[in-house]
Amino acid sequence: MTATAPPRKLRIAISGLGRMGKRHALTYVGRASRADVVAAFTPEASEAAWASSNLPGVKIYSDYDAMLAHPGLEAVVISTATSVHAEQAIKSINKGLHTMCEKPLSIHIDEAQKVVDAAATRPKSQKILCGFSRRFDASYRDAAQRIDSGSIGRPSVFRSQTCDKLDPSGFFVAYAEFSGGIFVDCSIHDIDLALWFFGPESRVKSVSAVGVCAAQPALRQHQDVDNAVGVVEFWEDRIAYFYASRTMAAGQHDMSEIVGTEGKLIVNGNPQTNLLEISDKTGYRREVPPDYYGRFGEAFATEANEFTAACLDDTPLPFKLTGAVRALQIGAALQESLRSGKKIHFDEVGHRVEKATL
């Protein structure tokens, strides 16, 4: 009897082992059966120590270029600080490696475009993906299919939020130095959803934003806030409303509402960890996921498996890399409006215009 050869696995490296990097590493190790994590990069001693305990057999590098030269490496998952996403992605792409880069591609639009330009020079068999995790969530995919089928008519208003549980440790204050701001870091998911549901050809007419430091005044040193609202008006007679927060008391609450001419869809309007409902002396309630991964853990696993399959089987990725630049352009404009206090206008071909004021 002839022995069957074991299925080939994609040899992957994880760049960055902070909060997000740990999630990706454990997801690829434990929930992506066709992936083989062979290397990881981190310059932080504490993260390297974590890896030695949690990623047995994985080679840990303190130099990113050295990691890219790991024998037999085929793909890189980039989850370092946003400020180095573009640099690391371009190096990986030019090395001929499949590349999944966490959102956003950069805090600078021109740097993000360089990633797209680098990807455009490579063969289609080399897969390059920006990690918009909600694109892999079953509920959001269901909503997209219903919109495409016309079940709610023409979608006209999109209201979406990304709201993190309050973290008193000061993590988000330190992180704000490199994140690009609450709209670029936090609302980028919601912006991407708006472009998905309204269509990638949607043209921005105006953006405006306001925000406050409700619980973390130290964010002001980075020209950032912990609660913000942004409104984007599109030339196609559509509106998107974004709410971002770092101060939720109960837990993570990310939700979206798509209003159409014949109905509406709501994703995660009432968050819950599971189907358990609790009734006691405090009242009637449901528990809420404590963090982003608690809500989108399944989406991360789907993303890992679909990216791995695309690399191994040369199948198409579910969305184009160019959309990551569009989302960043809108996020950066919202951040600028937040800081300047001014509404920003665009003409029908995307050029900024100045409106006369009284």
Side-chain angles (χ1 to χ4, degrees):
M1 185 175 182
T2 305
T4 302
R8 192 174 85 79
K9 293 188 175 185
L10 185 71
R11 292 169 63 83
I12 290 178
I14 309 294
S15 178
L17 292 174
R19 287 189 179 188
M20 187 60 70
K22 289 183 176 71
R23 292 170 182 170
H24 280 301
L26 294 176
T27 298
Y28 275 94
V29 168
R31 305 188 67 180
S33 61
R34 301 181 70 190
D36 182 15
V37 178
V38 297
F41 159 73
T42 176
E44 300 293 333
S46 60
E47 294 175 4
W50 175 90
S52 66
S53 299
N54 293 276
L55 303 176
V58 175
K59 173 70 173 177
I60 309 302
Y61 292 88
S62 59
D63 181 271
Y64 180 75
D65 294 328
M67 185 197 72
L68 293 184
H70 185 88
L73 186 65
E74 297 174 280
V76 178
V77 174
I78 298 169
S79 51
T80 43
T82 306
S83 55
V84 297
H85 279 183
E87 176 188 353
Q88 292 192 353
I90 291 170
K91 284 185 175 182
S92 175
I93 291 167
N94 290 341
K95 193 86 172 176
L97 300 169
H98 304 295
T99 304
M100 200 289 282
C101 182
E102 258 303 330
K103 61 77 200 167
L105 292 178
S106 174
I107 58 176
H108 303 294
I109 297 169
D110 58 340
E111 293 297 317
Q113 184 61 50
K114 288 179 182 178
V115 177
V116 175
D117 293 343
T121 68
R122 308 304 302 176
K124 290 184 178 180
S125 57
Q126 184 180 347
K127 307 302 179 182
I128 297 103
L129 176 71
C130 185
F132 287 111
S133 50
R134 293 182 207 182
R135 294 271 191 151
F136 298 89
D137 178 70
S139 296
Y140 279 109
R141 285 183 166 182
D142 189 1
Q145 291 172 357
R146 292 175 187 275
I147 291 170
D148 289 344
S149 71
S151 67
I152 63 167
R154 183 179 186 271
S156 303
V157 177
F158 179 66
R159 184 170 66 89
S160 193
Q161 67 181 46
T162 298
C163 295
D164 296 328
K165 186 175 182 178
L166 177 64
D167 182 351
S169 71
F171 169 81
F172 285 119
V173 174
Y175 181 59
E177 182 179 356
F178 310 102
S179 71
I182 197 167
F183 285 111
V184 170
D185 172 62
C186 201
S187 295
I188 199 82
H189 285 293
D190 308 284
I191 296 167
D192 177 64
L193 290 172
L195 294 174
W196 186 15
F197 297 145
F198 284 169
E201 73 286 348
S202 300
R203 298 164 299 157
V204 174
K205 185 176 183 180
S206 71
V207 303
S208 58
V210 293
V212 296
C213 291
Q216 297 173 319
L219 282 167
R220 293 192 182 100
Q221 66 185 296
H222 302 302
Q223 294 184 287
D224 205 9
V225 297
D226 55 23
N227 281 266
V229 170
V231 176
V232 178
E233 181 185 16
F234 294 91
W235 281 100
E236 292 78 17
D237 285 322
R238 287 169 163 151
I239 295 173
Y241 169 103
F242 305 119
Y243 171 43
S245 175
R246 305 289 200 190
T247 63
M248 293 293 102
Q252 192 79 19
H253 188 190
D254 304 326
M255 65 82 68
S256 301
E257 180 180 43
I258 310 101
V259 181
T261 54
E262 298 176 23
K264 74 175 180 179
L265 303 170
I266 300 175
V267 178
N268 200 39
N270 296 297
Q272 58 192 68
T273 299
N274 50 41
L275 298 179
L276 176 67
E277 296 179 343
I278 304 165
S279 179
D280 58 21
K281 62 183 180 181
T282 66
Y284 188 78
R285 69 187 191 281
R286 290 173 294 201
E287 293 186 339
V288 179
D291 54 32
Y292 189 86
Y293 193 73
R295 164 64 180 91
F296 291 105
E298 287 299 321
F300 275 82
T302 301
E303 177 186 70
N305 282 285
E306 290 190 7
F307 176 67
T308 301
C311 297
L312 289 172
D313 304 332
D314 194 19
T315 52
L317 293 169
F319 52 93
K320 295 180 179 179
L321 189 66
T322 51
V325 178
R326 293 268 348 260
L328 178 59
Q329 288 171 331
I330 295 172
L334 285 165
Q335 201 70 34
E336 180 182 343
S337 175
L338 173 68
R339 291 169 176 170
S340 69
K342 297 179 180 179
K343 188 174 185 178
I344 301 172
H345 302 267
F346 299 85
D347 64 21
E348 294 184 59
V349 294
H351 298 134
R352 287 179 62 156
V353 296
E354 295 297 326
K355 293 283 187 177
T357 57
L358 295 178

